[in-house]
Amino acid sequence: MFGTLIFGFFAVVLWVAGGVLLYFRYKTQQKVTLMRRTETSSVADVSALAPGTFVEIKGTLRCDSPLTSEMSGRSCAYYSARVVREYMEHDRDDDDRPGSNRRSETLAHSEQSVQFTVEDGPGSVLVQPDGADVDAYEVVDRFERNTDGEGSSISFAGATLHLGEGEHTIGYRYTESILPVDEPVYVLGVVREYGEIGAPQLESREQQFIISYRSEEALEQNLGKSAFWLGLVALGLFVFGAVFAAVSVAAALGYIEFR
């Protein structure tokens, strides 16, 4: 009876996980559909569009008061920096044999953005990035092993972050992504009241707000690959869930006996 319940439980878990992945696949595919459906407007034409109009623009990112990114010190309009601790966690398997698994935990995350303009020829339009789904350029991906021992620390996001603490620490991974100034940028959003571009109203589920350092073509290709793999993994989870469910039913009917 216990084995039947266990297999049934795992079947449900796999199906739920597959459903979650299908949801994210739908959201990813929705972005691609919106991008393909929206024609690119010139920056000069945005000011003449009515508030609430869904618009797509491409140009060069300019910023009068840029940020300085946390780790790389790059000039940017947006950055996301993260410090992750990687460690070994000791446990036991089903046969009570000792083992270990590599785990990770985020120690600190800093995300900042400022308004910027997009230039396309002589014209420019203001973009308010709050609420955007930002596809930023990764400039830092560094792993440092824990060799300093207890007591080491770094300054991060205006605070002191203590490192070398915690049992079985392997090391620390530092990552940072930015929207660099004076570089190409792609924006898909809604025209706001004063001719700027920003996030759509909360009640709008079809419209989205996307900012990317990639070209439209490169972003579509990247999203398409993500949607493909999400769908493939979801299919695998549903198949394995069906196998577990079949075993559970067979055990309940007495065709399989667990010992």
Side-chain angles (χ1 to χ4, degrees):
M1 181 63 180
F2 180 73
T4 302
L5 293 175
I6 289 295
F7 275 92
F9 171 76
F10 277 113
V12 172
V13 169
L14 290 172
W15 284 337
V16 170
V20 171
L21 290 183
L22 283 182
Y23 170 77
F24 283 111
R25 181 186 182 279
Y26 165 75
K27 298 295 289 184
T28 301
Q29 194 62 48
Q30 187 182 47
K31 293 178 183 178
V32 177
T33 302
L34 285 171
M35 291 171 63
R36 291 174 178 172
R37 205 167 60 192
T38 307
E39 294 186 5
T40 303
S41 299
S42 67
V43 170
D45 292 338
V46 173
S47 60
L49 298 176
T53 303
F54 203 50
V55 67
E56 171 186 276
I57 61 170
K58 307 168 186 177
T60 302
L61 189 154
R62 307 293 189 193
C63 190
D64 293 332
S65 302
L67 300 166
T68 300
S69 64
E70 190 74 38
M71 295 180 182
S72 62
R74 295 274 298 271
S75 182
C76 58
Y78 165 93
Y79 73 80
S80 176
R82 192 181 303 269
V83 180
V84 176
R85 170 180 169 252
E86 297 188 8
Y87 62 97
M88 297 301 295
E89 182 179 74
H90 297 300
D91 56 13
R92 293 183 176 274
D93 60 19
D94 294 337
D95 297 323
D96 201 33
R97 292 176 298 189
S100 60
N101 293 299
R102 187 162 181 153
R103 308 288 188 187
S104 64
E105 62 172 344
T106 299
L107 297 182
H109 177 218
S110 178
E111 185 176 34
Q112 300 289 333
S113 65
V114 293
Q115 65 180 24
F116 59 89
T117 58
V118 176
E119 292 185 0
D120 176 16
S124 66
V125 63
L126 183 67
V127 177
Q128 296 286 357
D130 294 340
D133 181 2
V134 180
D135 173 41
Y137 176 59
E138 186 175 72
V139 291
V140 176
D141 184 3
R142 182 178 75 252
F143 180 76
E144 295 182 0
R145 290 197 168 272
N146 182 35
T147 58
D148 295 334
E150 301 287 340
S152 60
S153 62
I154 62 170
S155 177
F156 185 85
T160 300
L161 184 63
H162 295 284
L163 304 178
E165 297 182 349
E167 191 177 4
H168 311 305
T169 297
I170 300 171
Y172 301 88
R173 183 167 299 279
Y174 303 84
T175 59
E176 183 177 77
S177 298
I178 67 172
L179 284 177
V181 299
D182 302 327
E183 295 288 343
V185 66
Y186 169 86
V187 179
L188 182 72
V190 171
V191 179
R192 306 283 284 271
E193 184 178 358
Y194 298 103
E196 63 192 34
I197 297 176
Q201 297 296 321
L202 294 178
E203 60 267 19
S204 176
R205 295 184 178 181
E206 293 185 358
Q207 295 177 337
Q208 298 194 41
F209 185 22
I210 302 172
I211 303 175
S212 176
Y213 77 96
R214 306 175 204 256
S215 67
E216 180 181 6
E217 296 74 20
L219 182 58
E220 280 189 13
Q221 185 178 30
N222 181 263
L223 292 172
K225 288 181 179 178
S226 297
F228 171 78
W229 286 109
L230 286 170
L232 190 63
V233 174
L235 177 61
L237 291 174
F238 281 122
V239 170
F240 279 108
V243 171
F244 277 96
V247 172
S248 178
V249 172
L253 295 175
Y255 293 113
I256 299 177
E257 183 177 346
F258 295 104
R259 296 182 179 180

